[in-house]
Amino acid sequence: MTDGKGFLGGRLMVVAFEGWNDAGEAATGAVRALKELLNVGEIMAVDPELYFDYQFNRPTVSTNEEGLRVIEWPSARLYAPESPGTEGVPLAEDAELRVSGTNAGNIYLLIGTEPSRSWKSFAAEVTDAALAADVAGVVFLGAMLADVPHTRPISIFVSSDNADVRGELQIERSSYEGPVGILSILSDAAEAAGIPTLSIWASVPHYVHNAPSPKAMLALIDKLEEVIDVSIPRGTLVTEAAEWEAGVDTLAGEDEEMAAYIVQLEQARDTVDSPEASGEAIAQEFEKYLRKRSDGRDGRADGRSGPEGPRQ
């Protein structure tokens, strides 16, 4: 941020990890979609022996195009533009195939599985790779399970611990305190090394936590496009998001208790989004909503709160 170019003035690394930070596979799904659309190649992969417990993150086996059985080990890989700094193809010429815009040739991608151990060493290795690639900013994508209805737009929260980034992009600083995932560790290491960071989090309805959420993935891509100033083709994602919502509607239609619960979530969300809602009114509505839920559950099937994102 000291070169006067601002957060968008240099190379940006977009990061997502499978695991605790990836409800509905929304964050990794968004980065994988970018990988398919960008002209990037792998420049670094961590040694899985150093960072993963294979009984927790097991290797997988599959058959490749040559008919050979291949074992895939959990890892994290960094991808770089084949032609760094090159402006993307104009959207009108290649709207369905390529990310476009002046920043398209400055996007690096880091995607992998959240490591099981040695997080400090892992963060140091990733930060060194980012510095070697002359990365000027990092965008972390995350998704958390939350008490939100699937029928409303996915809630997105953008934050940064870097005062310059907050001032430039007019975003907030997260007030969350509690357990964190690898994204927070990487953010802390990057900031310590002088690389500014920001985080984009999506809230995924907890009652559909077992399936990927294309609607949350789409919401992350929408916000990422806005933040990093590129145009990202959506492909079939809009249709998949609509089909996902319709599928959850069908499930709710067969379960009266689930349907009633979704109505409560809708009412709470609509109150927050209403133009006349004041901070006090919103607080009172949520207090009323929480009192109704007297069973003591936190609303999440796995008992977790959202890690680094906003509290719902």
Side-chain angles (χ1 to χ4, degrees), residues 138-153:
V138 183
V139 179
F140 296 102
L141 301 186
M144 61 182 177
L145 298 176
D147 291 330
V148 294
H150 72 283
T151 53
R152 299 295 187 265

Side-chain angles (χ1 to χ4, degrees), residues 192-233:
I195 305 176
T197 68
L198 68 80
S199 298
I200 305 174
W201 279 83
S203 296
V204 177
H206 70 89
Y207 51 88
V208 286
H209 69 282
N210 288 326
S213 176
K215 186 173 181 178
M217 189 191 312
L218 180 62
L220 283 173
I221 289 176
D222 287 345
K223 181 55 68 173
L224 180 65
E225 179 182 78
E226 176 187 331
V227 168
I228 68 176
D229 194 25
V230 296
S231 295
I232 305 172

